[in-house]
C-alpha cells in the first residue's frame, strides 16, 4: 500500500454540491444570469500572449477596482482564488490557540479549515428561529459569522456584529458571500470603528462569476499583511491573469450586478409567496437561496425529475432543503415538480 500523510486520515473534506449537466441546477447558489457585458469584453480583448508571464502577485488590477468600489485603501484589500481560499487563509492567518467560535449551523467549510490547520473551535447553537445568538459568543478566541448565514438564509444586524467586535479580543471574520441579496448593509463600514474586523466577499454569487474563482477580504493593513504571509507560504499567484482582469471589470460594473440581484430578489419573493400559499415552512430569505422544509427523499425525487437542490445529511438539517433561486422559468418548473411530488407522497 502506498503511504500518504497521516493527516489525510484525520481531515474530513467539505463536499461541494454536484456540478452536473442536464439538470435545472438549484444546488450551489450560482446566479442564473450571465456576468456583466464588461466581463465578456475582457474575454474578447484578452491577449493570450500575456499568459506567458506570471500574474501580479497581489492581483493588482483587481485590488485597485475593489478598493475603489469599497471606498478603502488598496492595502486594505486581499484577493484570492474564490472566497473559499480567502477564508482558508484567514483561518490559518488569524486564529491559533483560543478556540475560534462560529454558529453550529453555518457554512460547513469552517470546521474543515480548522481541522486542516489545527485551529481549535467551538460551535454556538442558533436560536430556535435559526437566528445567530450573539449573547452565546465569548470575548475570547474571535468569531466567524456568515452574514447572511448559510444555509439558513437569515441575516444578523450590523449592530450585533459591531457589539461583538467591540468586546471580542480577537478578529471577527464576517463572511458576506450573500450580502448583496440582503437588506442589511455590509460590515465593511465597521472597519473605520474596529481594527478587529475582516470582511470576506465573493464574485461567485451576485456577480455571476462562480466559474472564475474570485473572492476578497477587506480589513486593516496588518490583517492583509498576515493574509499575504500565508498566501506567500502556499502559492505566490493564486489569482491568474484572466481572473484578475475579469474581477476588475465585474467590480467596476456594480450597476449590472444590482440589476441581476433585483431579478433574483423578485423571483425569490414570488417563490416565497408560493411556498406560503402551500403552507411550506421556510425562513425569510436574505440570500439567493431558500431554506425550506423538505426531506432527503424529496431531494432525491427532485433529482430524478431533473432538478438538483441541496440536502445536508446532518441531524439538525435533515428535514430541510436549500434551493437556489434560479430564473423565473426554473422556479416555475421547481414549483410544478414540487406539487407533483408532494401530492404523490401524500
Ligand atoms: N461562504 C459561504 C457562506 C458560501 O456559501 C460559499 C459558497 N459555497 C462561499 C463562502 C464560497 O464561495 P466562493 O469560494 O465561490 O467564493
Amino acid at each position: 500500500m502506498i503511504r500518504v500523510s497521516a493527516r489525510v486520515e484525520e481531515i474530513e473534506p467539505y463536499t461541494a454540491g454536484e456540478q452536473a449537466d442536464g439538470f435545472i441546477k438549484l444546488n450551489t447558489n450560482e446566479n442564473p444570469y450571465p456576468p456583466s457585458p464588461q466581463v465578456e469584453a475582457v474575454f474578447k480583448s484578452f491577449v493570450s500572449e500575456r499568459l506567458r508571464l506570471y500574474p501580479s502577485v497581489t492581483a493588482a488590477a483587481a485590488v485597485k477596482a475593489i478598493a475603489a468600489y469599497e471606498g478603502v485603501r488598496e492595502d486594505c484589500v486581499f484577493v484570492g482564488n474564490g472566497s473559499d481560499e480567502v477564508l482558508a487563509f484567514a483561518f490559518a492567518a488569524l486564529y491559533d490557540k483560543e478556540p475560534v467560535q462560529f454558529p453550529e449551523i453555518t457554512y460547513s467549510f469552517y470546521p474543515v479549515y480548522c481541522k486542516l490547520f489545527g485551529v481549535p473551535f467551538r460551535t454556538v447553537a442558533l436560536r430556535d428561529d435559526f437566528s445567530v445568538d450573539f449573547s452565546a459568543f465569548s470575548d475570547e478566541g474571535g468569531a466567524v459569522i456568515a452574514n447572511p448565514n448559510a444555509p439558513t438564509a437569515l441575516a444578523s444586524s450590523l449592530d450585533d456584529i459591531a457589539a461583538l467586535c467591540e468586546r471580542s479580543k480577537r478578529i471577527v471574520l464576517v463572511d458576506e458571500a450573500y450580502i448583496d441579496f440582503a437588506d442589511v448593509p455590509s460590515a465593511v463600514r465597521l472597519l473605520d470603528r474596529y481594527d478587529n474586523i475582516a470582511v470576506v466577499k465573493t464574485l461567485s454569487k451576485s456577480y455571476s462569476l462562480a466559474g472564475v474563482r474570485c473572492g476578497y477580504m477587506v480589513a486593516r493593513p496588518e490583517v492583509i499583511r498576515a493574509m499575504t504571509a500565508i498566501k506567500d507560504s502556499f502559492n505566490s499567484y493564486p489569482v491568474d491573469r484572466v481572473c484578475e482582469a475579469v474581477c476588475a471589470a465585474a467590480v467596476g460594473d456594480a450597476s449590472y450586478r444590482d440589476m441581476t440581484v433585483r431579478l433574483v430578489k423578485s423571483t425569490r419573493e414570488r417563490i416565497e409567496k408560493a411556498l406560503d400559499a402551500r403552507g411550506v415552512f421556510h425562513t425569510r430569505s436574505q440570500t439567493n437561496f431558500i431554506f425550506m422544509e423538505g426531506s432527503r427523499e424529496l431531494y432525491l425525487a427532485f433529482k430524478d425529475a431533473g432538478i438538483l437542490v441541496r440536502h445536508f445529511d446532518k441531524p439538525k438539517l435533515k428535514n430541510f432543503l436549500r434551493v437556489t433561486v434560479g430564473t423565473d422559468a426554473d422556479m416555475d418548473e421547481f414549483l410544478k415538480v414540487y406539487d407533483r411530488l408532494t401530492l404523490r407522497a401524500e
Side-chain angles (χ1 to χ4, degrees), residues 53-63 74 77-81 85 89 224 227-241 244:
L53 302 172
Y54 283 108
S56 146
V57 286
T58 57
V63 166
E74 288 179 26
V77 177
F78 176 91
V79 184
N81 191 254
E85 185 187 73
F89 290 170
I224 299 302
M227 293 290 287
T228 307
I230 296 294
K231 181 213 49 133
D232 288 340
S233 307
F234 177 76
N235 179 356
S236 304
Y237 318 99
V239 178
D240 66 58
R241 280 177 175 266
E244 179 188 0

PDB file of all heavy atoms in Angstrom, residues 53-63 74 77-81 85 89 224 227-241 244:
ATOM      1  N   LEU A  53       3.491  35.187 -19.137  1.00  0.00           N
ATOM      2  CA  LEU A  53       4.087  35.738 -17.915  1.00  0.00           C
ATOM      3  C   LEU A  53       3.250  35.399 -16.689  1.00  0.00           C
ATOM      4  O   LEU A  53       2.019  35.300 -16.770  1.00  0.00           O
ATOM      5  CB  LEU A  53       4.179  37.273 -18.021  1.00  0.00           C
ATOM      6  CG  LEU A  53       4.974  37.802 -19.210  1.00  0.00           C
ATOM      7  CD1 LEU A  53       4.828  39.322 -19.299  1.00  0.00           C
ATOM      8  CD2 LEU A  53       6.441  37.422 -19.076  1.00  0.00           C
ATOM      9  N   TYR A  54       3.913  35.252 -15.556  1.00  0.00           N
ATOM     10  CA  TYR A  54       3.172  35.069 -14.303  1.00  0.00           C
ATOM     11  C   TYR A  54       2.289  36.297 -14.056  1.00  0.00           C
ATOM     12  O   TYR A  54       2.616  37.402 -14.487  1.00  0.00           O
ATOM     13  CB  TYR A  54       4.145  34.914 -13.132  1.00  0.00           C
ATOM     14  CG  TYR A  54       4.781  33.544 -13.059  1.00  0.00           C
ATOM     15  CD1 TYR A  54       6.112  33.366 -13.388  1.00  0.00           C
ATOM     16  CD2 TYR A  54       4.042  32.455 -12.645  1.00  0.00           C
ATOM     17  CE1 TYR A  54       6.707  32.114 -13.319  1.00  0.00           C
ATOM     18  CE2 TYR A  54       4.626  31.197 -12.568  1.00  0.00           C
ATOM     19  CZ  TYR A  54       5.949  31.036 -12.906  1.00  0.00           C
ATOM     20  OH  TYR A  54       6.519  29.794 -12.828  1.00  0.00           O
ATOM     21  N   PRO A  55       1.210  36.102 -13.306  1.00  0.00           N
ATOM     22  CA  PRO A  55       0.371  37.274 -12.999  1.00  0.00           C
ATOM     23  C   PRO A  55       0.988  38.148 -11.906  1.00  0.00           C
ATOM     24  O   PRO A  55       2.034  37.813 -11.354  1.00  0.00           O
ATOM     25  CB  PRO A  55      -0.931  36.643 -12.513  1.00  0.00           C
ATOM     26  CG  PRO A  55      -0.587  35.278 -12.048  1.00  0.00           C
ATOM     27  CD  PRO A  55       0.657  34.851 -12.767  1.00  0.00           C
ATOM     28  N   SER A  56       0.285  39.221 -11.577  1.00  0.00           N
ATOM     29  CA  SER A  56       0.680  40.094 -10.480  1.00  0.00           C
ATOM     30  C   SER A  56       0.566  39.310  -9.163  1.00  0.00           C
ATOM     31  O   SER A  56      -0.421  38.591  -8.964  1.00  0.00           O
ATOM     32  CB  SER A  56      -0.274  41.297 -10.473  1.00  0.00           C
ATOM     33  OG  SER A  56      -0.510  41.748  -9.170  1.00  0.00           O
ATOM     34  N   VAL A  57       1.535  39.450  -8.272  1.00  0.00           N
ATOM     35  CA  VAL A  57       1.461  38.694  -7.003  1.00  0.00           C
ATOM     36  C   VAL A  57       0.310  39.155  -6.121  1.00  0.00           C
ATOM     37  O   VAL A  57      -0.153  38.419  -5.249  1.00  0.00           O
ATOM     38  CB  VAL A  57       2.779  38.734  -6.177  1.00  0.00           C
ATOM     39  CG1 VAL A  57       3.842  37.861  -6.797  1.00  0.00           C
ATOM     40  CG2 VAL A  57       3.257  40.130  -5.944  1.00  0.00           C
ATOM     41  N   THR A  58      -0.150  40.381  -6.324  1.00  0.00           N
ATOM     42  CA  THR A  58      -1.254  40.876  -5.474  1.00  0.00           C
ATOM     43  C   THR A  58      -2.571  40.945  -6.242  1.00  0.00           C
ATOM     44  O   THR A  58      -3.574  41.382  -5.685  1.00  0.00           O
ATOM     45  CB  THR A  58      -0.949  42.302  -4.968  1.00  0.00           C
ATOM     46  OG1 THR A  58      -0.730  43.142  -6.118  1.00  0.00           O
ATOM     47  CG2 THR A  58       0.246  42.342  -4.059  1.00  0.00           C
ATOM     48  N   ALA A  59      -2.588  40.544  -7.502  1.00  0.00           N
ATOM     49  CA  ALA A  59      -3.766  40.747  -8.372  1.00  0.00           C
ATOM     50  C   ALA A  59      -4.095  42.244  -8.406  1.00  0.00           C
ATOM     51  O   ALA A  59      -5.232  42.676  -8.155  1.00  0.00           O
ATOM     52  CB  ALA A  59      -4.957  39.913  -7.898  1.00  0.00           C
ATOM     53  N   ALA A  60      -3.061  43.033  -8.717  1.00  0.00           N
ATOM     54  CA  ALA A  60      -3.126  44.489  -8.540  1.00  0.00           C
ATOM     55  C   ALA A  60      -4.342  45.159  -9.185  1.00  0.00           C
ATOM     56  O   ALA A  60      -4.970  46.026  -8.565  1.00  0.00           O
ATOM     57  CB  ALA A  60      -1.836  45.123  -9.055  1.00  0.00           C
ATOM     58  N   ALA A  61      -4.688  44.761 -10.412  1.00  0.00           N
ATOM     59  CA  ALA A  61      -5.817  45.432 -11.080  1.00  0.00           C
ATOM     60  C   ALA A  61      -7.112  45.157 -10.336  1.00  0.00           C
ATOM     61  O   ALA A  61      -7.977  46.040 -10.198  1.00  0.00           O
ATOM     62  CB  ALA A  61      -5.923  44.958 -12.535  1.00  0.00           C
ATOM     63  N   ALA A  62      -7.243  43.931  -9.821  1.00  0.00           N
ATOM     64  CA  ALA A  62      -8.448  43.570  -9.065  1.00  0.00           C
ATOM     65  C   ALA A  62      -8.480  44.333  -7.736  1.00  0.00           C
ATOM     66  O   ALA A  62      -9.521  44.880  -7.336  1.00  0.00           O
ATOM     67  CB  ALA A  62      -8.483  42.058  -8.823  1.00  0.00           C
ATOM     68  N   VAL A  63      -7.331  44.404  -7.072  1.00  0.00           N
ATOM     69  CA  VAL A  63      -7.247  45.124  -5.792  1.00  0.00           C
ATOM     70  C   VAL A  63      -7.663  46.588  -5.990  1.00  0.00           C
ATOM     71  O   VAL A  63      -8.435  47.148  -5.197  1.00  0.00           O
ATOM     72  CB  VAL A  63      -5.808  45.044  -5.212  1.00  0.00           C
ATOM     73  CG1 VAL A  63      -5.602  46.057  -4.094  1.00  0.00           C
ATOM     74  CG2 VAL A  63      -5.523  43.630  -4.711  1.00  0.00           C
ATOM     75  N   GLU A  74      -5.925  50.619  -0.940  1.00  0.00           N
ATOM     76  CA  GLU A  74      -5.559  49.352  -1.590  1.00  0.00           C
ATOM     77  C   GLU A  74      -4.870  48.380  -0.633  1.00  0.00           C
ATOM     78  O   GLU A  74      -4.975  47.170  -0.800  1.00  0.00           O
ATOM     79  CB  GLU A  74      -4.676  49.625  -2.817  1.00  0.00           C
ATOM     80  CG  GLU A  74      -5.495  50.240  -3.950  1.00  0.00           C
ATOM     81  CD  GLU A  74      -4.699  50.553  -5.191  1.00  0.00           C
ATOM     82  OE1 GLU A  74      -3.650  49.905  -5.425  1.00  0.00           O
ATOM     83  OE2 GLU A  74      -5.124  51.465  -5.922  1.00  0.00           O
ATOM     84  N   VAL A  77      -7.022  45.513   1.034  1.00  0.00           N
ATOM     85  CA  VAL A  77      -7.707  44.510   0.203  1.00  0.00           C
ATOM     86  C   VAL A  77      -6.784  43.323  -0.085  1.00  0.00           C
ATOM     87  O   VAL A  77      -5.608  43.507  -0.427  1.00  0.00           O
ATOM     88  CB  VAL A  77      -8.158  45.142  -1.144  1.00  0.00           C
ATOM     89  CG1 VAL A  77      -8.812  44.089  -2.041  1.00  0.00           C
ATOM     90  CG2 VAL A  77      -9.104  46.314  -0.907  1.00  0.00           C
ATOM     91  N   PHE A  78      -7.334  42.120   0.058  1.00  0.00           N
ATOM     92  CA  PHE A  78      -6.621  40.888  -0.305  1.00  0.00           C
ATOM     93  C   PHE A  78      -7.521  40.114  -1.265  1.00  0.00           C
ATOM     94  O   PHE A  78      -8.698  39.900  -0.977  1.00  0.00           O
ATOM     95  CB  PHE A  78      -6.353  40.037   0.946  1.00  0.00           C
ATOM     96  CG  PHE A  78      -5.710  38.720   0.652  1.00  0.00           C
ATOM     97  CD1 PHE A  78      -4.316  38.597   0.646  1.00  0.00           C
ATOM     98  CD2 PHE A  78      -6.476  37.600   0.358  1.00  0.00           C
ATOM     99  CE1 PHE A  78      -3.717  37.378   0.354  1.00  0.00           C
ATOM    100  CE2 PHE A  78      -5.888  36.380   0.058  1.00  0.00           C
ATOM    101  CZ  PHE A  78      -4.501  36.273   0.060  1.00  0.00           C
ATOM    102  N   VAL A  79      -6.967  39.685  -2.407  1.00  0.00           N
ATOM    103  CA  VAL A  79      -7.777  38.944  -3.387  1.00  0.00           C
ATOM    104  C   VAL A  79      -7.272  37.506  -3.471  1.00  0.00           C
ATOM    105  O   VAL A  79      -6.066  37.256  -3.463  1.00  0.00           O
ATOM    106  CB  VAL A  79      -7.703  39.610  -4.784  1.00  0.00           C
ATOM    107  CG1 VAL A  79      -8.620  38.884  -5.774  1.00  0.00           C
ATOM    108  CG2 VAL A  79      -8.102  41.070  -4.708  1.00  0.00           C
ATOM    109  N   GLY A  80      -8.204  36.568  -3.548  1.00  0.00           N
ATOM    110  CA  GLY A  80      -7.817  35.165  -3.632  1.00  0.00           C
ATOM    111  C   GLY A  80      -8.639  34.385  -4.631  1.00  0.00           C
ATOM    112  O   GLY A  80      -9.556  34.917  -5.270  1.00  0.00           O
ATOM    113  N   ASN A  81      -8.311  33.109  -4.731  1.00  0.00           N
ATOM    114  CA  ASN A  81      -8.920  32.192  -5.694  1.00  0.00           C
ATOM    115  C   ASN A  81     -10.275  31.682  -5.148  1.00  0.00           C
ATOM    116  O   ASN A  81     -10.381  30.568  -4.651  1.00  0.00           O
ATOM    117  CB  ASN A  81      -7.926  31.044  -5.905  1.00  0.00           C
ATOM    118  CG  ASN A  81      -8.296  30.156  -7.060  1.00  0.00           C
ATOM    119  OD1 ASN A  81      -8.760  29.045  -6.874  1.00  0.00           O
ATOM    120  ND2 ASN A  81      -8.097  30.643  -8.249  1.00  0.00           N
ATOM    121  N   GLU A  85     -10.836  30.151  -0.726  1.00  0.00           N
ATOM    122  CA  GLU A  85      -9.403  30.244  -0.464  1.00  0.00           C
ATOM    123  C   GLU A  85      -9.103  31.388   0.509  1.00  0.00           C
ATOM    124  O   GLU A  85      -8.266  31.245   1.420  1.00  0.00           O
ATOM    125  CB  GLU A  85      -8.612  30.456  -1.760  1.00  0.00           C
ATOM    126  CG  GLU A  85      -7.120  30.422  -1.494  1.00  0.00           C
ATOM    127  CD  GLU A  85      -6.315  30.788  -2.721  1.00  0.00           C
ATOM    128  OE1 GLU A  85      -6.288  31.974  -3.090  1.00  0.00           O
ATOM    129  OE2 GLU A  85      -5.699  29.883  -3.294  1.00  0.00           O
ATOM    130  N   PHE A  89      -7.207  30.870   4.072  1.00  0.00           N
ATOM    131  CA  PHE A  89      -6.039  31.641   4.511  1.00  0.00           C
ATOM    132  C   PHE A  89      -6.351  32.378   5.814  1.00  0.00           C
ATOM    133  O   PHE A  89      -5.501  32.525   6.687  1.00  0.00           O
ATOM    134  CB  PHE A  89      -5.612  32.649   3.443  1.00  0.00           C
ATOM    135  CG  PHE A  89      -5.001  32.025   2.203  1.00  0.00           C
ATOM    136  CD1 PHE A  89      -4.761  32.805   1.071  1.00  0.00           C
ATOM    137  CD2 PHE A  89      -4.642  30.683   2.160  1.00  0.00           C
ATOM    138  CE1 PHE A  89      -4.184  32.250  -0.075  1.00  0.00           C
ATOM    139  CE2 PHE A  89      -4.072  30.125   1.021  1.00  0.00           C
ATOM    140  CZ  PHE A  89      -3.849  30.911  -0.098  1.00  0.00           C
ATOM    141  N   ILE A 224      -4.227  42.294   6.393  1.00  0.00           N
ATOM    142  CA  ILE A 224      -3.934  41.964   4.991  1.00  0.00           C
ATOM    143  C   ILE A 224      -2.493  41.430   4.889  1.00  0.00           C
ATOM    144  O   ILE A 224      -2.227  40.473   4.154  1.00  0.00           O
ATOM    145  CB  ILE A 224      -4.140  43.202   4.074  1.00  0.00           C
ATOM    146  CG1 ILE A 224      -5.595  43.680   4.153  1.00  0.00           C
ATOM    147  CG2 ILE A 224      -3.720  42.904   2.621  1.00  0.00           C
ATOM    148  CD1 ILE A 224      -6.659  42.658   3.769  1.00  0.00           C
ATOM    149  N   MET A 227      -2.512  37.848   5.968  1.00  0.00           N
ATOM    150  CA  MET A 227      -3.085  37.024   4.892  1.00  0.00           C
ATOM    151  C   MET A 227      -2.041  36.790   3.788  1.00  0.00           C
ATOM    152  O   MET A 227      -1.918  35.685   3.248  1.00  0.00           O
ATOM    153  CB  MET A 227      -4.303  37.733   4.282  1.00  0.00           C
ATOM    154  CG  MET A 227      -5.486  37.856   5.202  1.00  0.00           C
ATOM    155  SD  MET A 227      -6.281  36.264   5.503  1.00  0.00           S
ATOM    156  CE  MET A 227      -7.082  35.986   3.927  1.00  0.00           C
ATOM    157  N   THR A 228      -1.316  37.843   3.459  1.00  0.00           N
ATOM    158  CA  THR A 228      -0.318  37.751   2.387  1.00  0.00           C
ATOM    159  C   THR A 228       0.810  36.804   2.788  1.00  0.00           C
ATOM    160  O   THR A 228       1.332  36.051   1.960  1.00  0.00           O
ATOM    161  CB  THR A 228       0.215  39.167   2.058  1.00  0.00           C
ATOM    162  OG1 THR A 228      -0.913  40.001   1.790  1.00  0.00           O
ATOM    163  CG2 THR A 228       1.133  39.159   0.849  1.00  0.00           C
ATOM    164  N   ALA A 229       1.165  36.825   4.079  1.00  0.00           N
ATOM    165  CA  ALA A 229       2.222  35.920   4.554  1.00  0.00           C
ATOM    166  C   ALA A 229       1.803  34.466   4.375  1.00  0.00           C
ATOM    167  O   ALA A 229       2.595  33.609   3.972  1.00  0.00           O
ATOM    168  CB  ALA A 229       2.547  36.218   6.021  1.00  0.00           C
ATOM    169  N   ILE A 230       0.537  34.177   4.658  1.00  0.00           N
ATOM    170  CA  ILE A 230       0.042  32.799   4.470  1.00  0.00           C
ATOM    171  C   ILE A 230       0.013  32.465   2.976  1.00  0.00           C
ATOM    172  O   ILE A 230       0.477  31.398   2.551  1.00  0.00           O
ATOM    173  CB  ILE A 230      -1.364  32.624   5.109  1.00  0.00           C
ATOM    174  CG1 ILE A 230      -1.313  32.823   6.620  1.00  0.00           C
ATOM    175  CG2 ILE A 230      -1.959  31.264   4.746  1.00  0.00           C
ATOM    176  CD1 ILE A 230      -0.523  31.770   7.401  1.00  0.00           C
ATOM    177  N   LYS A 231      -0.534  33.373   2.180  1.00  0.00           N
ATOM    178  CA  LYS A 231      -0.601  33.134   0.728  1.00  0.00           C
ATOM    179  C   LYS A 231       0.796  32.860   0.166  1.00  0.00           C
ATOM    180  O   LYS A 231       0.998  31.913  -0.603  1.00  0.00           O
ATOM    181  CB  LYS A 231      -1.222  34.347   0.023  1.00  0.00           C
ATOM    182  CG  LYS A 231      -1.324  34.134  -1.461  1.00  0.00           C
ATOM    183  CD  LYS A 231      -1.177  35.338  -2.367  1.00  0.00           C
ATOM    184  CE  LYS A 231      -0.070  36.281  -2.220  1.00  0.00           C
ATOM    185  NZ  LYS A 231       0.669  36.690  -3.368  1.00  0.00           N
ATOM    186  N   ASP A 232       1.759  33.682   0.572  1.00  0.00           N
ATOM    187  CA  ASP A 232       3.116  33.536   0.031  1.00  0.00           C
ATOM    188  C   ASP A 232       3.836  32.307   0.570  1.00  0.00           C
ATOM    189  O   ASP A 232       4.935  31.986   0.126  1.00  0.00           O
ATOM    190  CB  ASP A 232       3.927  34.814   0.288  1.00  0.00           C
ATOM    191  CG  ASP A 232       3.456  35.957  -0.602  1.00  0.00           C
ATOM    192  OD1 ASP A 232       2.803  35.686  -1.640  1.00  0.00           O
ATOM    193  OD2 ASP A 232       3.733  37.125  -0.267  1.00  0.00           O
ATOM    194  N   SER A 233       3.212  31.635   1.523  1.00  0.00           N
ATOM    195  CA  SER A 233       3.770  30.367   2.008  1.00  0.00           C
ATOM    196  C   SER A 233       3.072  29.192   1.332  1.00  0.00           C
ATOM    197  O   SER A 233       3.272  28.036   1.695  1.00  0.00           O
ATOM    198  CB  SER A 233       3.572  30.257   3.526  1.00  0.00           C
ATOM    199  OG  SER A 233       4.076  31.402   4.161  1.00  0.00           O
ATOM    200  N   PHE A 234       2.197  29.512   0.395  1.00  0.00           N
ATOM    201  CA  PHE A 234       1.366  28.474  -0.215  1.00  0.00           C
ATOM    202  C   PHE A 234       1.429  28.531  -1.741  1.00  0.00           C
ATOM    203  O   PHE A 234       1.670  27.529  -2.412  1.00  0.00           O
ATOM    204  CB  PHE A 234      -0.071  28.672   0.290  1.00  0.00           C
ATOM    205  CG  PHE A 234      -1.082  27.745  -0.293  1.00  0.00           C
ATOM    206  CD1 PHE A 234      -1.158  26.425   0.129  1.00  0.00           C
ATOM    207  CD2 PHE A 234      -1.963  28.177  -1.278  1.00  0.00           C
ATOM    208  CE1 PHE A 234      -2.095  25.566  -0.421  1.00  0.00           C
ATOM    209  CE2 PHE A 234      -2.900  27.323  -1.826  1.00  0.00           C
ATOM    210  CZ  PHE A 234      -2.962  26.016  -1.399  1.00  0.00           C
ATOM    211  N   ASN A 235       1.195  29.721  -2.299  1.00  0.00           N
ATOM    212  CA  ASN A 235       1.138  29.891  -3.755  1.00  0.00           C
ATOM    213  C   ASN A 235       1.294  31.384  -4.010  1.00  0.00           C
ATOM    214  O   ASN A 235       0.464  32.178  -3.563  1.00  0.00           O
ATOM    215  CB  ASN A 235      -0.231  29.382  -4.253  1.00  0.00           C
ATOM    216  CG  ASN A 235      -0.421  29.523  -5.757  1.00  0.00           C
ATOM    217  OD1 ASN A 235       0.416  30.063  -6.462  1.00  0.00           O
ATOM    218  ND2 ASN A 235      -1.542  29.034  -6.251  1.00  0.00           N
ATOM    219  N   SER A 236       2.347  31.776  -4.707  1.00  0.00           N
ATOM    220  CA  SER A 236       2.573  33.217  -4.914  1.00  0.00           C
ATOM    221  C   SER A 236       1.487  33.842  -5.774  1.00  0.00           C
ATOM    222  O   SER A 236       1.203  35.030  -5.653  1.00  0.00           O
ATOM    223  CB  SER A 236       3.912  33.452  -5.601  1.00  0.00           C
ATOM    224  OG  SER A 236       4.942  32.868  -4.853  1.00  0.00           O
ATOM    225  N   TYR A 237       0.896  33.047  -6.663  1.00  0.00           N
ATOM    226  CA  TYR A 237      -0.029  33.609  -7.673  1.00  0.00           C
ATOM    227  C   TYR A 237      -1.356  32.854  -7.721  1.00  0.00           C
ATOM    228  O   TYR A 237      -1.679  32.235  -8.730  1.00  0.00           O
ATOM    229  CB  TYR A 237       0.588  33.532  -9.069  1.00  0.00           C
ATOM    230  CG  TYR A 237       2.048  33.886  -9.183  1.00  0.00           C
ATOM    231  CD1 TYR A 237       3.013  32.885  -9.236  1.00  0.00           C
ATOM    232  CD2 TYR A 237       2.443  35.210  -9.263  1.00  0.00           C
ATOM    233  CE1 TYR A 237       4.352  33.204  -9.368  1.00  0.00           C
ATOM    234  CE2 TYR A 237       3.784  35.537  -9.393  1.00  0.00           C
ATOM    235  CZ  TYR A 237       4.729  34.527  -9.437  1.00  0.00           C
ATOM    236  OH  TYR A 237       6.046  34.850  -9.572  1.00  0.00           O
ATOM    237  N   PRO A 238      -2.145  32.874  -6.660  1.00  0.00           N
ATOM    238  CA  PRO A 238      -3.407  32.113  -6.724  1.00  0.00           C
ATOM    239  C   PRO A 238      -4.433  32.722  -7.685  1.00  0.00           C
ATOM    240  O   PRO A 238      -5.359  32.044  -8.103  1.00  0.00           O
ATOM    241  CB  PRO A 238      -3.919  32.134  -5.279  1.00  0.00           C
ATOM    242  CG  PRO A 238      -3.266  33.306  -4.641  1.00  0.00           C
ATOM    243  CD  PRO A 238      -1.957  33.509  -5.332  1.00  0.00           C
ATOM    244  N   VAL A 239      -4.268  34.010  -7.999  1.00  0.00           N
ATOM    245  CA  VAL A 239      -5.219  34.664  -8.914  1.00  0.00           C
ATOM    246  C   VAL A 239      -4.537  34.822 -10.275  1.00  0.00           C
ATOM    247  O   VAL A 239      -3.565  35.552 -10.412  1.00  0.00           O
ATOM    248  CB  VAL A 239      -5.648  36.041  -8.351  1.00  0.00           C
ATOM    249  CG1 VAL A 239      -6.597  36.748  -9.311  1.00  0.00           C
ATOM    250  CG2 VAL A 239      -6.296  35.864  -6.982  1.00  0.00           C
ATOM    251  N   ASP A 240      -5.066  34.119 -11.287  1.00  0.00           N
ATOM    252  CA  ASP A 240      -4.410  34.174 -12.599  1.00  0.00           C
ATOM    253  C   ASP A 240      -4.756  35.465 -13.337  1.00  0.00           C
ATOM    254  O   ASP A 240      -5.618  36.234 -12.900  1.00  0.00           O
ATOM    255  CB  ASP A 240      -4.751  32.920 -13.419  1.00  0.00           C
ATOM    256  CG  ASP A 240      -6.209  32.848 -13.778  1.00  0.00           C
ATOM    257  OD1 ASP A 240      -6.723  33.787 -14.421  1.00  0.00           O
ATOM    258  OD2 ASP A 240      -6.863  31.848 -13.410  1.00  0.00           O
ATOM    259  N   ARG A 241      -4.095  35.694 -14.441  1.00  0.00           N
ATOM    260  CA  ARG A 241      -4.269  36.956 -15.160  1.00  0.00           C
ATOM    261  C   ARG A 241      -5.688  37.159 -15.681  1.00  0.00           C
ATOM    262  O   ARG A 241      -6.193  38.280 -15.704  1.00  0.00           O
ATOM    263  CB  ARG A 241      -3.306  37.020 -16.353  1.00  0.00           C
ATOM    264  CG  ARG A 241      -1.904  37.399 -15.952  1.00  0.00           C
ATOM    265  CD  ARG A 241      -0.984  37.384 -17.167  1.00  0.00           C
ATOM    266  NE  ARG A 241       0.319  37.861 -16.779  1.00  0.00           N
ATOM    267  CZ  ARG A 241       0.706  39.133 -16.901  1.00  0.00           C
ATOM    268  NH1 ARG A 241      -0.079  40.031 -17.456  1.00  0.00           N
ATOM    269  NH2 ARG A 241       1.906  39.485 -16.494  1.00  0.00           N
ATOM    270  N   GLU A 244      -7.878  38.100 -12.687  1.00  0.00           N
ATOM    271  CA  GLU A 244      -7.581  39.469 -12.243  1.00  0.00           C
ATOM    272  C   GLU A 244      -8.330  40.489 -13.107  1.00  0.00           C
ATOM    273  O   GLU A 244      -8.987  41.402 -12.594  1.00  0.00           O
ATOM    274  CB  GLU A 244      -6.061  39.700 -12.326  1.00  0.00           C
ATOM    275  CG  GLU A 244      -5.638  41.092 -11.912  1.00  0.00           C
ATOM    276  CD  GLU A 244      -4.155  41.359 -12.186  1.00  0.00           C
ATOM    277  OE1 GLU A 244      -3.447  40.453 -12.704  1.00  0.00           O
ATOM    278  OE2 GLU A 244      -3.708  42.478 -11.897  1.00  0.00           O
TER     279      GLU A 244
END
